[in-house]
Each structure stands twice: as structure tokens, then as C-alpha cells.
Amino acid sequence: MKNLQVVAAIIIYQGKILCVQRGRHEFDYLSDKFEFPGGKVESGETGEEALIREIKEELSMDIRIDSLFCTVEHQYPDFFIELNCFICRVSSYRHTLHVHQQSAWMDPGLLAELDWAEADLPAVYQLIVEKPF
């Protein structure tokens, strides 16, 4: 079973959080689910370097990483994921979707209304309770 080191950006702009929706995925349980954008940490990269690279590739956005928000460990049926979620800022809401089917800027209190990937749920619930921005 694979063990993946993954990073995610909780991107905040004017009090709203960017949520992105996956398209079809090789694992049905991840298809069409919302997530915080990000991806796998490659060999030789720090989590922060991977996150900056992934957000540039996926959304054509430049982010400023503020801090690590939480770490989630989750066992999916086909792999184990360690997900480090970072609070990030941007200077504009503009982005281009390169790998996701849609996006939404959401008020933190409404995050639970989306259909999230399971590994993202602990961060979603923590954001709703703590409102760290």
C-alpha cells in the first residue's frame, strides 16, 4: 500500500476560502469531490516548495504561505495519506483551472455544504470551528 506525503493550500482572499472540485479519478471515491488544492511532495522538495509549485501548476496562482494549519493522516482503501494543510494568502481571487472541474470561494461557515474528499474533512471542520483568519 502506498504512503503519500501531500500538501494542501487553504487559500484565503477577502475572508473566503478557495475550494476546488476534482473531475473523474481512477478511484471512484475521489471523483467529483471537493478539496483544498495541492498535491504530492516530490523527492528533494520541502512541503512549502511543493505547495507553491502545485498551486502554480493547478491554478496559475502565486501564493504566500502563512503557516501550517493542521496535519491529517487518513487511510483510503488504496493508499495512506499524510496531508499537511497550510494557510495561504493571495493578492487576487483570479485563477485558472488546469486540473479541476470547478472552484468556489466559500465563506468558512458554509464549507460543510460541499461534498469533500475524506482526507480534507478534518481540516474543513477545524476551519469552521477555529476560523484562523
Side-chain angles (χ1 to χ4, degrees):
M1 181 137 336
K2 278 189 185 179
N3 291 321
L4 301 177
Q5 294 289 322
V6 180
V7 289
I10 300 168
I11 300 174
I12 300 165
Y13 181 71
Q14 295 185 346
K16 296 192 179 206
I17 297 173
L18 182 61
C19 308
V20 293
Q21 186 180 28
R22 287 178 172 265
R24 295 294 310 151
H25 192 275
E26 67 177 305
F27 302 124
D28 283 340
Y29 53 84
L30 290 174
S31 292
D32 303 316
K33 298 292 185 177
F34 276 87
E35 64 184 359
F36 297 112
K40 296 177 195 140
V41 178
E42 294 179 0
S43 178
E45 279 184 319
T46 66
E48 290 87 346
E49 290 168 339
L51 191 56
I52 289 167
R53 175 185 52 75
E54 287 283 352
I55 299 307
K56 189 67 148 174
E57 291 172 2
E58 291 181 3
L59 299 169
S60 297
M61 293 182 98
D62 293 314
I63 58 169
R64 185 183 79 242
I65 299 172
D66 283 358
S67 61
L68 178 65
F69 178 65
C70 67
T71 299
V72 175
E73 295 181 345
H74 184 77
Q75 180 68 58
Y76 281 112
D78 301 284
F79 59 94
F80 175 83
I81 184 173
E82 180 179 295
L83 175 64
N84 289 303
C85 301
F86 292 86
I87 298 290
C88 301
R89 309 284 175 168
V90 290
S91 59
S92 169
Y93 67 90
R94 284 183 237 136
H95 59 281
T96 303
L97 297 177
H98 296 288
V99 297
H100 295 93
Q101 64 180 335
Q102 71 172 313
S103 64
W105 287 98
M106 300 287 293
D107 289 316
L110 301 176
L111 291 174
E113 293 181 5
L114 299 176
D115 185 16
W116 290 91
E118 287 183 28
D120 288 73
L121 282 172
V124 168
Y125 297 137
Q126 190 173 339
L127 281 166
I128 291 168
V129 171
E130 292 184 17
K131 298 178 185 86
F133 49 90

